[in-house]
Amino acid sequence: MTTECIGDGQQDLTRLYQDHHPWLLQWLEKRVQDRLQAEDHAQDTFLRVITARETLNLDEPRAYLTTIAKRLLINHWRRSTIEQAYLARLAAYPEEIAISPEDSTIILEVLREIDELLNQLPAKVRKAFLLAQLDDLTYAEIGQQLGVSDRMVRKYMAQAMFQCLSAGF
């Protein structure tokens, strides 16, 4: 395949879109099994390409597009999992404690933001934070599970807390 340059050139972007959009759409549709959702993800993929600040010389444009699309799908599936867990938890509450659709939408958005924030942390830091917050484990117990010292758990927690405070949580 020929090298394609993606940068400031509108022609290059147009050619990339025309040459690869049908293929990407088909690739996405096989994975999500929903044409409209595949179209949304394809558009999001090309939007990421357009908003990229660097100029790229692509020997394998499909590999590049696939990488972007896979990341978008992972984010989509993670958000979907969070939403399903929230809705399942919400359904377990008695009817008299019902949350308004507006409040539910706000809560889901905050949960997505928290997930995105935590996903930016290194794996052990995220795991330590979640074990402390969700499982109510002591630093010693967390250290034992992660195979690190209590002191390292404290550093992990400080890093996670700093991330949360920096984001306004």
Side-chain angles (χ1 to χ4, degrees):
M1 187 168 284
T2 61
T3 300
E4 296 186 30
C5 179
I6 301 172
D8 296 330
Q10 182 67 33
Q11 274 185 323
D12 295 330
L13 289 170
T14 300
R15 196 173 94 237
L16 179 74
Y17 187 87
Q18 289 172 341
D19 290 351
H20 301 288
H21 181 266
W23 168 84
L24 180 63
L25 185 58
Q26 183 179 21
W27 184 89
L28 284 163
E29 194 171 4
K30 285 180 187 176
R31 278 139 188 91
V32 298
Q33 298 182 351
D34 179 328
R35 178 71 177 196
L36 292 176
Q37 195 174 68
E39 288 174 0
D40 286 345
H41 290 306
Q43 293 304 91
D44 288 345
T45 300
F46 280 99
L47 183 61
R48 295 270 171 105
V49 172
I50 291 167
T51 59
R53 288 190 160 65
E54 69 272 356
T55 300
L56 302 171
N57 288 316
L58 298 177
D59 291 324
E60 297 292 333
R62 289 186 176 181
Y64 178 69
L65 293 171
T66 301
T67 299
I68 295 170
K70 282 180 182 177
R71 289 178 184 156
L72 289 170
L73 287 175
I74 289 168
N75 287 339
H76 170 77
W77 289 325
R78 195 175 68 243
R79 284 191 311 270
S80 181
T81 300
I82 290 168
E83 184 175 336
Q84 293 306 314
Y86 168 71
L87 292 173
R89 186 70 178 219
L90 195 58
Y93 283 107
E95 195 173 308
E96 57 271 4
I97 305 179
I99 296 175
S100 73
E102 294 83 11
D103 287 343
S104 185
T105 300
I106 291 169
I107 291 168
L108 270 173
E109 185 57 36
V110 170
L111 286 172
R112 288 182 191 122
E113 288 174 18
I114 292 169
D115 177 64
E116 190 173 315
L117 173 96
L118 292 176
N119 204 41
Q120 294 171 8
L121 294 170
K124 282 193 174 183
V125 174
R126 181 177 52 250
K127 181 81 170 169
F129 181 77
L130 292 173
L131 288 170
Q133 299 300 315
L134 301 179
D135 296 337
D136 204 25
L137 297 183
T138 65
Y139 287 2
E141 292 168 328
I142 294 168
Q144 205 169 31
Q145 280 200 19
L146 297 179
V148 297
S149 67
D150 293 7
R151 185 173 183 186
M152 187 54 72
V153 173
R154 288 189 213 316
K155 287 182 179 181
Y156 290 164
M157 292 301 294
Q159 187 178 350
M161 291 296 190
F162 180 75
Q163 181 86 348
C164 290
L165 291 173
S166 295
F169 285 104

